[in-house]
């Protein structure tokens, strides 16, 4: 099977400017509301104009960004990080004016770090998290009094403030790592599914060649008939010993040969074999054919206990999925790979067994997930190491075709790995819908 032409790295992480601007407007509305409610609604004393000036600076930045840039523009990670750092600094100044970490809104330090974890590279998240923790640490010691009733001031013990600081630190670390992990898994799954769709599209194009061949045979039939008639008339009109007699006869013979070839193509396509449907033995032979000369013995074993052999649609998903598994087995096998099939009236099971090192214990439970590979991470000059997409693509394609896959190692003293693909026979023999791929 040809290797996928994919980059090792995922697409660059970035975020739309419109997203940051909208979130900052939401923060501005929330901060303004909180300041006004505390000052006028609760009648607590705080530096109102200083707080509104800080909020106005944030609003001015939003207006400047809207006037200067297109909102649909995707920011480079470093620029987005600077904007998020401004949000952290703006929040730190507001908290400095309103009680420091005694202010319950101090946990809003999490917001910019969480956004960075989901949209920016990890190094920027680490930097922003460290900046947020540094701001929180300063606010423990330096801040204006918390707005409160002057007759009954609130005094929080130092140990409680230390606990608040520690909670912010742990929240930034834990939630940041958790958000990054979830987002990374989502990106990997999206990239792997895109690769799967690309592979399946290529295979579908190959499976449609028979239709193209039949269409070409139909379209070419008429002009070839005309050429044959004219060549016959020219042959009858000139003498047998004429200078161009041999050329005319050769022209008529070659035109007839072309018609015979097109007739065979038309019969092959209309027969439905092997283009539309194929027996299981033919499918297995097509899977193993590319690997016959790889220096590894390939043994095909079929057992049906006398029952009729299954015949399924020529599904490119099945062909590529089994081919991918066969390629992996041949790569790791020492001497032999066995492709076996067992069927009953209700079920069909295809197994691929090799005598290689088997699946590593630490990955056998995760086989089939994207970017999980057992290949060594050494790159050759002309061929990259495995991306970990082979099993994922094979599993995805075969499951779409109605199969269920399982992976295991052979029982000692035998060595090697075994992959099982199981179908309900009715699912395997179901005709392939034109849009199934």
């Amino acid at each position: 099977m040809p290797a996928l032409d994919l980059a090792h790295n995922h697409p660059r992480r970035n975020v739309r400017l419109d997203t940051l601007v909208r979130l900052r407007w939401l923060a501005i509305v929330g901060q303004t509301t909180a300041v006004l409610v505390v000052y006028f609604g609760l009648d607590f004393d705080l530096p109102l104009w200083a707080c509104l000036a800080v909020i106005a600076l944030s609003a001015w930045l939003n207006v400047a960004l809207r006037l200067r840039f297109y909102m649909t523009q995707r920011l480079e990670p470093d620029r987005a990080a600077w904007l998020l750092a401004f949000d952290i600094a703006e929040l730190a100044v507001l908290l400095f004016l309103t009680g420091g970490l005694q202010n319950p809104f101090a946990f809003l330090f999490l917001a910019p770090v969480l956004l960075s974890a989901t949209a920016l590279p990890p190094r920027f998240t680490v930097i922003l998290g460290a900046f947020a923790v540094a701001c929180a640490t300063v606010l423990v010691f330096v801040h204006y009094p918390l707005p409160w009733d002057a007759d009954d001031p609130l005094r929080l013990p130092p140990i409680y403030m230390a606990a608040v600081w520690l909670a912010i630190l742990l929240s930034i670390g834990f939630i940041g790592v958790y958000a990054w992990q979830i987002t990374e898994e989502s990106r990997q799954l999206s990239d792997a599914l895109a690769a799967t769709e690309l592979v399946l599209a290529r295979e579908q194009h190959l499976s449609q060649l028979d239709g193209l061949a039949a269409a070409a045979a139909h379209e070419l039939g008429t002009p070839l008939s005309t050429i044959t008639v004219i060549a016959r008339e020219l042959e009858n009109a000139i003498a047998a010993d004429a200078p161009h007699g041999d050329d005319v006869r050769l022209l008529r013979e070659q035109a007839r040969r072309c018609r015979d070839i097109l007739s065979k193509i038309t019969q092959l396509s209309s027969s439905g074999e092997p283009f539309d449907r194929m027996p299981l033995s033919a499918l297995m032979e097509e899977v193993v054919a590319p690997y016959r000369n790889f220096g590894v013995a390939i043994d095909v074993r079929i057992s049906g206990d006398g029952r009729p052999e299954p015949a399924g649609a020529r599904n490119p998903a099945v062909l590529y999925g089994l081919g991918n598994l066969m390629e992996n087995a041949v790569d790791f096998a020492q001497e032999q790979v066995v492709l076996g099939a067992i069927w009953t009236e209700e079920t069909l099971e295809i197994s691929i067994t090799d005598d290689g090192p088997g699946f590593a214990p630490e990955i056998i439970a995760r086989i089939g997930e994207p970017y999980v590979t057992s290949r060594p991470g050494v790159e050759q000059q002309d061929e990259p190491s495995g991306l970990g997409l082979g099993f994922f693509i094979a599993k995805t394609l075969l499951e779409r075709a109605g199969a269920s896959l399982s992976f295991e190692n052979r029982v000692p003293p035998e060595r090697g790995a075994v992959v099982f693909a199981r179908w309900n026979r009715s699912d395997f023999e179901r005709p392939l819908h034109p849009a199934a791929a």
Side-chain angles (χ1 to χ4, degrees):
M1 291 290 169
L4 289 176
D5 185 17
L6 295 175
H8 286 273
N9 297 325
H10 302 304
R12 294 187 63 184
R13 299 185 175 206
N14 48 38
V15 62
R16 285 201 314 165
L17 177 60
D18 185 62
T19 301
L20 295 181
V21 170
R22 288 177 181 272
L23 290 176
R24 186 176 290 115
W25 279 125
L26 181 62
I28 290 170
V29 172
Q31 292 167 359
T32 304
T33 302
V35 168
L36 295 179
V37 168
V38 169
Y39 189 81
F40 293 105
L42 301 179
D43 199 23
F44 288 165
D45 186 28
L46 57 78
L48 176 64
W49 295 110
C51 293
L52 293 180
V54 174
I55 298 173
L57 178 62
S58 182
W60 173 83
L61 176 61
N62 258 11
V63 173
L65 290 174
R66 279 200 173 272
L67 295 177
R68 178 64 178 83
F69 301 100
Y70 293 107
M71 288 295 99
T72 56
Q73 177 179 346
R74 289 194 171 272
L75 297 175
E76 293 295 323
D78 55 344
R79 295 186 178 183
W82 277 112
L83 292 178
L84 292 175
F86 172 84
D87 293 334
I88 294 175
E90 186 255 359
L91 178 62
V93 174
L94 279 179
L95 292 174
F96 167 76
L97 297 171
T98 57
L101 291 194
Q102 296 179 9
N103 192 321
F105 290 102
F107 280 92
L108 289 177
F109 276 128
L110 289 173
V113 180
L114 181 60
L115 181 58
S116 174
T118 59
L120 301 181
R123 66 181 184 277
F124 292 108
T125 302
V126 172
I127 294 173
L128 289 173
F131 181 52
V133 171
C135 291
T137 304
V138 172
L139 291 174
V140 173
F141 305 101
V142 181
H143 57 82
Y144 277 51
L146 178 70
W148 205 257
D149 188 354
D151 297 333
D152 185 20
L154 179 65
R155 299 184 182 279
L156 298 175
I159 190 172
Y160 179 82
M161 297 308 303
V164 172
W165 176 85
L166 182 61
I168 292 176
L169 172 64
L170 295 179
S171 298
I172 289 176
F174 175 76
I175 297 179
V177 171
Y178 180 78
W180 176 84
Q181 182 66 30
I182 294 299
T183 306
E184 183 68 13
E185 291 179 359
S186 177
R187 282 194 180 94
Q188 290 181 349
L189 183 60
S190 177
D191 293 345
L193 286 174
T196 303
E197 294 295 340
L198 176 61
V199 168
L200 192 53
R202 291 175 178 174
E203 291 299 308
Q204 183 67 10
H205 291 162
L206 291 177
S207 69
Q208 292 172 348
L209 287 179
D210 64 312
L212 297 176
H218 177 73
E219 295 296 331
L220 292 174
T222 300
L224 278 176
S225 297
T226 303
I227 293 173
T228 302
V229 171
I230 294 175
R232 184 181 297 110
E233 291 179 352
L234 289 174
E235 185 178 6
N236 294 332
I238 63 177
D241 56 352
H244 300 290
D246 293 338
D247 295 336
V248 173
R249 282 189 292 274
L250 179 61
L251 175 63
R252 183 175 61 82
E253 291 174 358
Q254 293 303 313
R256 183 176 58 189
R257 182 182 176 189
C258 289
R259 292 192 63 187
D260 293 340
I261 294 173
L262 292 180
S263 177
K264 291 180 181 179
I265 293 177
T266 304
Q267 293 174 2
L268 182 62
S269 179
S270 63
S271 68
E273 184 70 38
F275 292 102
D276 297 330
R277 298 187 64 79
M278 58 194 315
L280 177 62
S281 56
L283 181 146
M284 297 175 68
E285 183 57 36
E286 186 165 341
V287 169
V288 303
Y291 309 105
R292 288 291 190 187
N293 300 318
F294 272 50
V296 176
I298 298 179
D299 188 7
V300 178
R301 301 175 184 176
I302 298 178
S303 174
D305 296 334
R307 296 180 176 86
E309 180 180 356
R314 191 180 189 276
N315 191 337
V318 175
L319 289 171
Y320 192 92
L322 292 177
N324 231 335
L325 298 176
M326 175 62 66
E327 179 183 24
N328 190 80
V330 170
D331 286 345
F332 284 93
Q334 300 293 326
E335 297 178 357
Q336 185 184 45
V337 174
V338 178
L339 177 63
I342 301 176
W343 65 86
T344 65
E345 292 182 358
E346 294 82 19
T347 62
L348 165 65
E349 178 182 277
I350 296 178
S351 61
I352 300 176
T353 307
D354 64 69
D355 57 355
F359 297 118
E362 63 270 16
I363 69 166
I364 192 169
R366 300 177 55 210
I367 292 177
E369 297 180 12
Y371 300 101
V372 174
T373 178
S374 58
R375 299 178 186 272
V378 179
E379 296 187 6
Q380 304 297 330
Q381 184 174 0
D382 57 346
E383 183 177 355
S385 62
L387 294 177
L389 289 178
F391 276 120
F392 172 80
I393 291 176
K395 187 172 184 291
T396 301
L397 295 180
L398 291 173
E399 287 180 348
R400 285 188 178 185
S404 60
L405 267 69
S406 60
F407 308 90
E408 60 185 54
N409 288 323
R410 301 173 71 181
V411 179
E414 295 181 331
R415 59 196 306 267
V418 187
V419 180
F420 294 98
R422 300 179 178 90
W423 283 267
N424 290 327
R425 183 161 176 167
S426 58
D427 293 335
F428 180 81
E429 296 182 329
R430 181 183 297 118
L432 182 63
H433 191 275

